[in-house]
DNA sequence: CCCAGTTAGTTCCACATGGAACAATATATT
DNA sequence: AATATATTGTTCCATGTGGAACTAACTGGG
């Protein structure tokens, strides 16, 4: 009995394969990331948001990622302690704090992103360039439509 | 700022979209499943294995799903308490116990499977039948190749 | 200006999870 | 046959996580 056989028995072949691939692609890297760098999932989430756009508030990260505020709060606090982000009080609203990634934070972020990218390439090795393009296109179509189907 | 924009900035477009779709498709159902039926993730894992094949041992489930034994142990214990599976001592090896899903367990399993299937159909609404077939084919190709790329 | 209601971020608490130690049983070696 | 080793499944413990309560600060209506 293999996992892929159970997979085949379900009435949601695409969904299950999505979950299957996500698990085998992402989870090992997240575990390794924690082991090698001491960075855990919610910290990476914050790091990715700050890498994409500087000077955001914790609240923004909550909204974009749909993470609970306490999770983001802990991620921000621990990243600051590690020197990967800096926070300053917002002068307009002193409840808020402006978050910014540090150079060290960006280095760490890029290192982790590279791992994901390399693992992706390895995962897609069985597909031709054209097939990879097709797959990306199909996934993108569904992902962009998310607001129409999410429950 | 939208999540999909951060997604586009990463050097692993396919991987990130896989994770994105998995999150928005699977996670809401798992949360709802717990709320409506009191079934949590490791319990569902056990239930799906037993639905696929009867008379297995907890150890088999550990190997197939790569779950730690304590997680499976708890899942089995709680499912038994709820009447969704029955366990009997294996006469050949009294350390082992033979697991079997009950009719109530199968009803619950099917109810949950239906939810996943319906959510999948909704998710794929934006794709044509041909595109859905293509997507399934591509995902299957990569999934079947898992032993060659998993880290 | 004051108070009710709202919002940003943190802390508290309850629980799910996985690693490691453990007890019971089976298997291998001599 | 006796002892050492391996295996099955459970319990213990440390940690990650999210809901809810909480504090501090802002906003709007009277």
């Amino acid at each position: 009995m293999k996992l892929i056989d159970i997979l085949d028995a379900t009435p949601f072949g695409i969904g299950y394969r999505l979950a299957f691939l996500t698990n085998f692609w992402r989870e090992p890297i997240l575990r390794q990331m924690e082991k090698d760098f001491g960075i855990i999932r919610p910290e990476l989430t914050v790091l990715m948001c700050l890498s994409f756009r500087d000077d955001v508030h914790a609240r923004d990260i909550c909204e974009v990622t749909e993470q609970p505020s306490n999770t983001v709060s802990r991620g921000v606090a621990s990243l600051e302690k590690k020197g990967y982000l800096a926070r300053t009080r917002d002068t307009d609203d002193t409840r808020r704090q402006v978050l910014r990634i540090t150079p060290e934070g960006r280095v760490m972020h890029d290192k982790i992103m590279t791992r994901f990218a390399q693992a992706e390439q390895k995962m897609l090795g069985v597909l031709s360039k054209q097939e990879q393009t097709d797959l990306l296109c199909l996934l993108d179509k569904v992902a962009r439509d998310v607001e129409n189907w999410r429950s």
Side-chain angles (χ1 to χ4, degrees), chain A residues 54-65:
Chain A
D54 249 346
D55 296 345
V56 297
H57 302 139
R59 177 60 32 183
D60 301 327
I61 299 178
C62 292
E63 281 164 16
V64 168
T65 64

Side-chain angles (χ1 to χ4, degrees), chain A residues 14-119:
Chain A
I14 291 180
Y16 202 150
R17 281 171 180 80
L18 289 173
F20 178 93
L21 294 180
T22 299
N23 282 342
F24 282 98
W25 169 69
R26 182 179 61 180
E27 301 309 317
I29 302 179
L30 289 175
R31 279 195 293 273
Q32 201 60 36
M33 175 182 76
E34 178 173 5
K35 209 172 149 196
D36 293 347
F37 308 131
I39 303 280
I40 60 177
R41 192 183 303 231
E43 293 173 335
L44 178 61
T45 306
V46 171
L47 216 49
M48 288 179 70
C49 289
L50 292 185
S51 169
F52 179 72
R53 182 182 296 277
D54 249 346
D55 296 345
V56 297
H57 302 139
R59 177 60 32 183
D60 301 327
I61 299 178
C62 292
E63 281 164 16
V64 168
T65 64
E66 304 187 25
Q67 292 286 303
S69 59
N70 53 6
T71 298
V72 172
S73 174
R74 276 188 293 256
V76 168
S78 54
L79 284 174
E80 187 192 34
K81 196 184 288 182
K82 293 170 187 167
Y84 294 144
L85 71 77
R87 48 179 167 180
T88 54
R89 286 256 155 236
D90 189 329
T91 49
D92 292 343
D93 183 341
T94 61
R95 290 172 309 180
R96 296 182 183 173
Q97 39 200 358
V98 180
L99 305 178
R100 184 172 297 199
I101 195 171
T102 63
E104 293 79 18
R106 194 167 289 279
V107 168
M108 176 57 69
H109 169 267
D110 293 348
K111 228 187 283 186
I112 296 168
M113 291 301 101
T114 301
R115 290 195 175 188
F116 280 108
Q118 286 174 343

